[in-house]
Amino acid sequence: QKEVEQNSGPLSVPEGAIASLNCTYSDRGSQSFFWYRQYSGKSPELIMFIYSNGDKEDGRFTAQLNKASQYVSLLIRDSQPSDSATYLCAVNTGFQKLVFGTGTRLLVSP
Amino acid sequence: DTGVSQDPRHKITKRGQNVTFRCDPISEHNHLYWYRQTLGQGPEFLTYFQNEAQLEKSRLLSDRFSAERPKGSFSTLEIQRTEQGDSAMYLCASSLVGALGQPQHFGDGTRLSIL
């Protein structure tokens, strides 16, 4: 079992729709959770981070964490074509290093 | 606030050559990380520094790899006797100190191609 799992996609949504990206993790001791956006050929860019169960909102982005289910998600409201990218879920298990999933490719069509 | 800076952006070299990459973290960040990313995969952790101390190394970091962070500022990652499998994007990240994992901010990466 991989430590951090994501559906590779692509996830296709029309412009203006809500995109829902999901991630599960295996280490129950995981303490902090991050979403990065990565455009093709570029480096990861931090989008959101969350430490506590529940929702955390920042603009069009909402991160959701459920530690009991070992599940973290990212919602993107009013999706734009510029949101088309690979979204990486990363988990910090308490040893400073991040463990990344393989990413979900999001395609937003005009 | 300048971000994480990496140099060079691209490196093409022949198999067997040595290469060295440099990373300058965000100035107030004393945690520095190196990751490696291959096509279709997420970044994989290589090593971590707190100030000048190298506190963790992945088993991915074979004896051909060495990283330093003298004086706790910039860091270098050297690969000796490069192999085809070393071709990847090498990413540096930095973060602040914190009880919980602080967000790590990545540089633009160094793309290494081994001929």
Side-chain angles (χ1 to χ4, degrees), chain B residues 44-63:
Chain B
E44 294 177 293
F45 171 80
L46 292 178
T47 191
Y48 154 62
F49 290 86
Q50 180 173 323
N51 298 313
E52 66 275 10
Q54 187 174 21
L55 297 185
E56 189 175 354
K57 291 194 296 184
S58 165
R59 59 180 180 274
L60 290 175
L61 215 65
S62 74
D63 56 4

Side-chain angles (χ1 to χ4, degrees), chain A residues 77-98:
Chain A
R77 289 180 298 281
D78 188 23
S79 295
Q80 301 297 309
S82 58
D83 294 327
S84 298
T86 295
Y87 288 80
L88 296 163
C89 172
V91 174
N92 184 306
T93 59
F95 296 100
Q96 301 298 334
K97 70 178 185 182
L98 292 179

Side-chain angles (χ1 to χ4, degrees), chain A residues 31-32 34 36 38 41 43-44 46 49 51 88 92 95-98 100-102, chain B residues 31 33 35 37 41-43 45 48 56 91 100-108:
Chain A
Q31 299 180 355
S32 47
F34 304 86
Y36 287 84
Q38 188 171 31
S43 65
L46 180 69
F49 59 93
Y51 299 141
L88 296 163
N92 184 306
F95 296 100
Q96 301 298 334
K97 70 178 185 182
L98 292 179
F100 284 83
T102 55
Chain B
H31 288 200
Y33 314 81
Y35 292 83
Q37 186 177 25
Q41 301 298 313
F45 171 80
Y48 154 62
E56 189 175 354
L91 295 162
L100 292 175
Q102 293 295 312
Q104 296 179 21
H105 299 270
F106 285 84
D108 289 335

Side-chain angles (χ1 to χ4, degrees), chain A residues 5-11 21-22 85-87 102-106, chain B residues 40:
Chain A
E5 297 211 42
Q6 297 180 256
N7 188 317
S8 61
L11 172 66
L21 303 155
N22 305 314
T86 295
Y87 288 80
T102 55
T104 297
R105 192 157 67 100
L106 173 66

Side-chain angles (χ1 to χ4, degrees), chain A residues 38 88 102, chain B residues 35-44 84-91 111-112:
Chain A
Q38 188 171 31
L88 296 163
T102 55
Chain B
Y35 292 83
R36 180 173 69 187
Q37 186 177 25
T38 55
L39 196 62
Q41 301 298 313
E44 294 177 293
Q84 293 279 353
D86 296 333
S87 294
M89 173 81 89
Y90 289 83
L91 295 162
R111 184 170 297 281
L112 174 64

Side-chain angles (χ1 to χ4, degrees), chain A:
Chain A
Q1 182 187 8
K2 292 183 179 178
E3 292 184 73
V4 179
E5 297 211 42
Q6 297 180 256
N7 188 317
S8 61
L11 172 66
S12 295
V13 299
E15 184 174 358
I18 295 175
S20 178
L21 303 155
N22 305 314
C23 171
T24 58
Y25 60 94
S26 61
D27 188 339
R28 285 194 171 274
S30 300
Q31 299 180 355
S32 47
F33 307 85
F34 304 86
W35 283 99
Y36 287 84
R37 177 175 63 197
Q38 188 171 31
Y39 293 111
S40 181
K42 303 296 186 182
S43 65
E45 173 192 8
L46 180 69
I47 297 295
M48 293 282 293
F49 59 93
I50 186 166
Y51 299 141
S52 304
N53 278 328
D55 295 0
K56 179 181 178 183
E57 187 173 321
D58 183 2
R60 296 187 297 114
F61 299 97
T62 298
Q64 299 175 317
L65 175 61
N66 183 326
K67 288 187 177 181
S69 300
Q70 295 174 243
Y71 179 93
V72 58
S73 65
L74 178 71
L75 301 178
I76 306 174
R77 289 180 298 281
D78 188 23
S79 295
Q80 301 297 309
S82 58
D83 294 327
S84 298
T86 295
Y87 288 80
L88 296 163
C89 172
V91 174
N92 184 306
T93 59
F95 296 100
Q96 301 298 334
K97 70 178 185 182
L98 292 179
V99 179
F100 284 83
T102 55
T104 297
R105 192 157 67 100
L106 173 66
L107 297 176
V108 181
S109 55

